[in-house]
Amino acid sequence: MGKLLKVAIIATVLLAAVSNQAAWAQERKKTPALREQVYSQLARAQELADAGDVPAGLQVLQAVEQKLSSMNSYERAMLWNFYAYMHYGQDNIDQAIVYFAKVVDEEALPLALEQNTLFSLAQLALGQGNYQQSLGYLERWQQLVPVDQHSKAFVLKAQALYQAGDYAAALMPITQAIDGAVAKSVIPDENWLVLQRAIYFELKQTDQVAKVLEQMVRWYNKPEYWVQLAGVYGQLGEEAKQLAMLEAAYQQGFLVKGTDLLNLAQTYFFSDLPFKSGRVLEQALADQKVERNLRNLKMLAQAWVAARETDKAVEALAAAAELSDDGELDAQRATVLLNAERHQAAIAAAQAALTKGNLQQPGTMHLVIGMAELNQENYNAALQAFARAKEFEQSRRTASQWQRYAEAELEQAQRLAEINRS
């Protein structure tokens, strides 16, 4: 605590060294002197506190307080100031605020003491969640300092206004703080940009959120800012920028969370880049950064199907089917295999789908079996499959057409066979 007390007192002295103080001081009442007997007691209290005996230091201050009626305003202010710093050093912030408030209630204070105490009160009130009180102290502080020094309070004022829910008012001071730093070719404090971004978000100015994040990416280059900016671009409908940000972040190794990798895979897919989508998701599954669940395996299969990567699509569909309660994924696998002219595998997948059941269009699987058998010139098996497909309303018409075609093919095959025999 002693170190904290020393730092606070040193800070008070340093902050007093501001320009134009003489002109401002001329307008104030003359500050009375701090008498030696009072100063010596206050110094003793400080020594005890510095040595770690805060209770003893407080007892000395209480003894000084017994003579309050004989003390001038400056002596009383210093007494309250010492009380405040001791309570602050003990993390008793509420009591520190009480005593700092007593300091500024005294008359004829040194200008630097009043300014610094008001600023400290604004900071402490903000930390305690007393936002309006913090703003009130800041307003009093501003009345005591030249306009060219108001910039010191921009961030504090913006924080208080933001916490109070006055987002529109909070925007100006934080923007002034950031612009002031940039004008001096200084990178602004990162937390200032965080606050400005939050304000724009609350004001629902998404385009401005994007601009702030663009600066955060440029100045701080943190993975989360790349991801957040990509998300904002997505909200703005700027899909090309969203993809560029995610892809650049991925190449830099910034996308390590499963949710971010899934987002990149989805963005690739909806940007008509299914192969890249499948490759990202496949690697994420292999690295165990995303869960090997039904949803993710279905997404992987969808990407490989769209990319016309038959082997990968079939493998993903088979893996997903093992986790599914119905035969729909086996049905998709059967269709992919049929389109790839892998007829026996298509038949096996279609039969697996029918066995598992709960299909939305079971007749379609009988059609797949029929077409696969027909392509292998297994006419009787094909006709049997088409007959089964006709039992279902949704596939009846198509099955009838394929049945007629299969019958015609069978007749032609039989005629050719007869000709060959003769």
Side-chain angles (χ1 to χ4, degrees):
M1 176 272 166
K3 185 177 180 180
L4 284 174
L5 183 59
K6 286 181 178 178
V7 170
I9 293 174
I10 291 171
T12 299
V13 174
L14 290 176
L15 285 172
V18 294
S19 61
N20 300 327
Q21 291 301 322
W24 285 78
Q26 289 176 0
E27 300 178 9
R28 301 172 59 82
K29 294 180 181 179
K30 184 177 179 180
T31 303
L34 178 62
R35 289 172 294 176
E36 174 61 30
Q37 62 266 34
V38 176
Y39 169 77
S40 61
Q41 289 297 96
L42 295 178
R44 174 169 168 70
Q46 179 181 333
E47 288 175 4
L48 290 167
D50 286 347
D53 195 350
V54 176
L58 287 172
Q59 285 182 352
V60 172
L61 294 182
Q62 289 165 1
V64 175
E65 190 177 357
Q66 295 300 314
K67 304 171 184 177
L68 201 62
S69 60
S70 64
M71 297 167 63
N72 62 45
S73 61
Y74 183 36
E75 291 168 339
R76 290 193 300 271
M78 292 304 296
L79 172 63
W80 309 138
N81 200 43
F82 272 77
Y83 265 127
Y85 278 121
M86 285 193 186
H87 284 298
Y88 178 79
Q90 295 295 299
D91 290 327
N92 189 352
I93 307 302
D94 288 335
Q95 279 298 99
I97 290 175
V98 168
Y99 281 104
F100 276 133
K102 283 177 172 285
V103 172
V104 294
D105 283 343
E106 294 291 344
E107 295 183 355
L109 297 178
L111 181 60
L113 176 62
E114 188 171 2
Q115 289 173 341
N116 297 329
T117 305
L118 284 168
F119 202 85
S120 296
L121 277 166
Q123 292 174 310
L124 293 174
L126 177 64
Q128 294 299 95
N130 300 322
Y131 310 123
Q132 294 301 332
Q133 189 179 69
S134 176
L135 290 167
Y137 286 128
L138 275 179
E139 185 175 351
R140 289 174 62 182
W141 174 85
Q142 286 179 320
Q143 293 173 0
L144 296 178
V145 298
V147 174
D148 61 358
Q149 294 180 30
H150 287 189
S151 58
K152 293 195 300 186
F154 284 159
V155 176
L156 184 59
K157 185 175 183 180
Q159 290 173 329
L161 288 165
Y162 174 80
Q163 295 294 346
D166 194 348
Y167 307 121
L171 182 59
M172 181 179 290
I174 195 62
T175 301
Q176 288 175 314
I178 293 169
D179 291 347
V182 173
K184 298 175 183 177
S185 299
V186 175
I187 295 177
D189 187 285
E190 186 175 352
N191 287 328
W192 299 1
L193 276 293
V194 170
L195 178 56
Q196 189 185 46
R197 179 192 59 186
I199 291 170
Y200 278 126
F201 177 81
E202 294 294 346
L203 293 173
K204 303 188 187 312
Q205 296 183 22
T206 309
D207 56 333
Q208 294 299 323
V209 173
K211 290 180 180 179
V212 175
L213 281 166
E214 287 168 356
Q215 293 176 315
M216 297 175 83
V217 165
R218 182 169 63 255
W219 284 329
Y220 317 120
N221 196 36
K222 288 188 175 180
E224 59 265 32
Y225 298 149
W226 286 78
V227 174
Q228 290 167 13
L229 181 54
V232 173
Y233 282 148
Q235 293 174 31
L236 292 170
E238 298 183 27
E239 288 82 5
K241 286 186 177 181
Q242 178 187 24
L243 178 58
M245 289 300 299
L246 285 174
E247 192 166 40
Y250 183 65
Q251 291 171 353
Q252 294 177 85
F254 287 168
L255 302 188
V256 294
K257 295 181 180 178
T259 51
D260 295 336
L261 292 166
L262 287 171
N263 187 28
L264 175 60
Q266 289 175 328
T267 304
Y268 270 139
F269 186 84
F270 291 115
S271 299
D272 294 325
L273 297 168
F275 182 81
K276 287 188 173 183
S277 174
R279 189 169 58 183
V280 168
L281 190 49
E282 184 179 60
Q283 188 63 51
L285 286 163
D287 294 340
Q288 298 183 344
K289 291 183 177 179
V290 300
E291 186 179 353
R292 194 175 180 82
N293 58 26
L294 178 59
R295 176 182 177 274
N296 294 337
L297 288 172
K298 284 173 69 174
M299 187 190 305
L300 178 63
Q302 188 179 26
W304 290 137
V305 169
R308 294 183 174 83
E309 291 285 333
T310 302
D311 290 339
K312 290 180 177 292
V314 168
E315 181 183 355
L317 285 167
E322 293 179 2
L323 303 178
S324 176
D325 295 330
D326 57 49
E328 290 294 342
L329 292 167
D330 283 317
Q332 291 181 39
R333 182 163 60 94
T335 302
V336 170
L337 288 165
L338 179 66
N339 291 335
E341 298 183 355
R342 291 162 59 174
H343 304 305
Q344 280 303 120
I347 292 170
Q351 289 172 338
L354 290 167
T355 300
K356 202 164 189 179
N358 295 321
L359 296 172
Q360 294 182 4
Q361 297 184 12
T364 301
M365 286 300 94
H366 292 291
L367 282 174
V368 168
I369 293 172
M371 287 185 280
E373 295 285 14
L374 181 60
N375 288 332
Q376 298 177 92
E377 298 182 356
N378 297 327
Y379 300 111
N380 289 329
L383 288 169
Q384 289 176 3
F386 292 141
R388 290 293 309 276
K390 287 173 64 176
E391 297 175 6
F392 299 92
E393 179 65 29
Q394 292 174 320
S395 57
R396 183 170 299 144
R397 182 176 178 180
T398 304
S400 297
Q401 293 171 345
W402 277 104
Q403 186 180 49
R404 289 193 294 272
Y405 178 75
E407 289 170 346
E409 289 292 301
L410 176 58
E411 290 177 4
Q412 183 177 0
Q414 288 173 340
R415 282 196 300 271
L416 289 173
E418 289 177 4
I419 293 172
N420 290 334
R421 283 197 297 271
S422 61

